[in-house]
Amino acid sequence: GFYRNIILNNPRKRNALSLSMLQSLREDLLHDVKGKDLRVIIISAEGPVFCSGHDLKELSSEDDVKHHSQVFEICAEVMTLIQKLPVPVIAKVNGLATAAGCQLVASCDIAVASEKSQFATPGVNIGLFCSTPGVALGRSLPRKVALEMLFTGEPLSAQEALMHGLVSKVVPEDKLEEETMKISHKICESSKSVLALGKATFYRQMTQDLDAAYKMTTQVMVDNLTLRDGQEGIEAFIQKRKPVWSH
């Protein structure tokens, strides 16, 4: 009950982020997210493509500007929502992640990929520059690496993605589930309230300059000590026992 597995399950359409897929993803991410038991969300996919990005049929000239705006707005909402959730979100990638699919990986807190996985933002090749994926890429990768991906559309291998920081770990395909659950189990050993505070603080300080970041996080450390689990963890350490979290 500690894990939520969200599986993109439309392999026939390469798990494209259609409007309905994005709406479902948002609903699944938000479902009982503040419940005491939920500690980790894992996003994976069926088929050889993790996610191919937007459904281009929805972006044709046959649909109006209002519909196009709706698609991109809900996509941005989902991507930012992932970092606002109080629990860690892990992308479990086994295959190709392109455009908004690559954006989804970059937006997750942790990403574990199989050796066969690849990552690309090829929109430039079809006349639709990956501007919104570039927001997540530019915050995950060195600028020149992100721009090469955006300008050329050429993919990164799993090892290249690891080297540049797009993913956390690369493992053989048959070890992907094991490694993802190993990370999840470790997260579940900690207090949910402490993790929620830490995650929110991390993303907040990333937008600040050095002095402001230290000023804000100094106060958060003080606030952390006022949490029931903050005191429980310190007392358990001093008493050389396992903490009993209230979450």
Side-chain angles (χ1 to χ4, degrees):
F2 293 157
Y3 311 96
R4 174 169 302 147
N5 289 295
I6 300 176
I7 303 172
L8 307 181
N9 192 18
N10 193 358
R12 188 173 62 85
K13 289 196 171 184
R14 296 159 62 89
N15 295 315
L17 294 177
S18 63
L19 181 58
S20 61
M21 178 80 91
L22 286 165
Q23 289 169 334
S24 295
L25 182 54
R26 178 179 60 183
E27 182 179 342
D28 289 341
L29 287 168
L30 286 171
H31 176 69
D32 197 28
V33 74
K34 294 185 179 179
K36 184 175 178 181
D37 289 340
L38 181 66
R39 311 283 173 74
V40 180
I41 295 174
I42 300 168
I43 301 177
S44 61
E46 288 291 330
V49 176
F50 174 78
C51 180
S52 60
H54 291 291
D55 185 345
L56 295 180
K57 290 183 178 179
E58 290 188 342
L59 305 180
S60 68
S61 58
E62 296 175 5
D63 289 308
D64 59 21
V65 172
K66 184 178 179 181
H67 178 81
H68 296 163
S69 296
Q70 186 180 11
V71 170
F72 289 120
E73 285 169 4
I74 191 173
C75 183
E77 180 185 344
V78 167
M79 301 302 171
T80 55
L81 171 63
I82 288 171
Q83 296 181 358
K84 293 176 182 177
L85 294 175
V87 297
V89 180
I90 303 174
K92 184 173 74 172
V93 186
N94 188 30
L96 182 65
T98 62
C102 186
Q103 179 185 5
L104 178 59
V105 175
S107 298
C108 288
D109 303 310
I110 296 171
V112 185
S114 69
E115 293 172 332
K116 73 176 188 180
S117 299
Q118 290 186 304
F119 306 86
T121 49
V124 67
N125 298 327
I126 59 166
L128 182 63
F129 196 86
C130 286
S131 294
T132 46
V135 175
L137 282 185
R139 285 160 172 75
S140 298
L141 294 165
R143 182 179 301 179
K144 290 178 174 59
V145 177
L147 286 171
E148 182 178 347
M149 290 181 69
L150 292 164
F151 290 161
T152 69
E154 289 297 303
L156 291 183
S157 68
Q159 287 297 336
E160 288 171 327
L162 176 64
M163 178 175 66
H164 295 303
L166 181 59
V167 301
S168 317
K169 290 192 176 181
V170 173
V171 295
E173 184 177 2
D174 62 355
K175 297 290 185 183
L176 183 60
E177 175 70 15
E178 177 185 336
E179 187 60 37
T180 304
M181 293 313 297
K182 180 181 176 182
I183 296 170
S184 300
H185 286 147
K186 188 62 181 175
I187 289 171
C188 287
E189 292 177 5
S190 298
S191 160
K192 178 173 182 175
S193 55
V194 170
L195 282 172
L197 177 64
K199 176 176 173 176
T201 302
F202 177 82
Y203 285 114
R204 185 178 164 195
Q205 63 88 20
M206 287 292 288
T207 66
Q208 299 176 337
D209 64 41
L210 191 64
D211 289 339
Y214 270 117
K215 182 177 180 180
M216 185 270 290
T217 54
T218 296
Q219 182 59 50
V220 171
M221 295 291 284
V222 175
D223 296 340
N224 195 154
L225 289 172
T226 68
L227 293 178
R228 180 175 171 184
D229 282 351
Q231 286 300 314
E232 167 61 16
I234 291 174
E235 289 174 10
F237 179 81
I238 294 171
Q239 296 169 11
K240 295 182 172 59
R241 62 174 174 83
K242 190 174 181 178
V244 180
W245 305 122
S246 67
H247 302 292

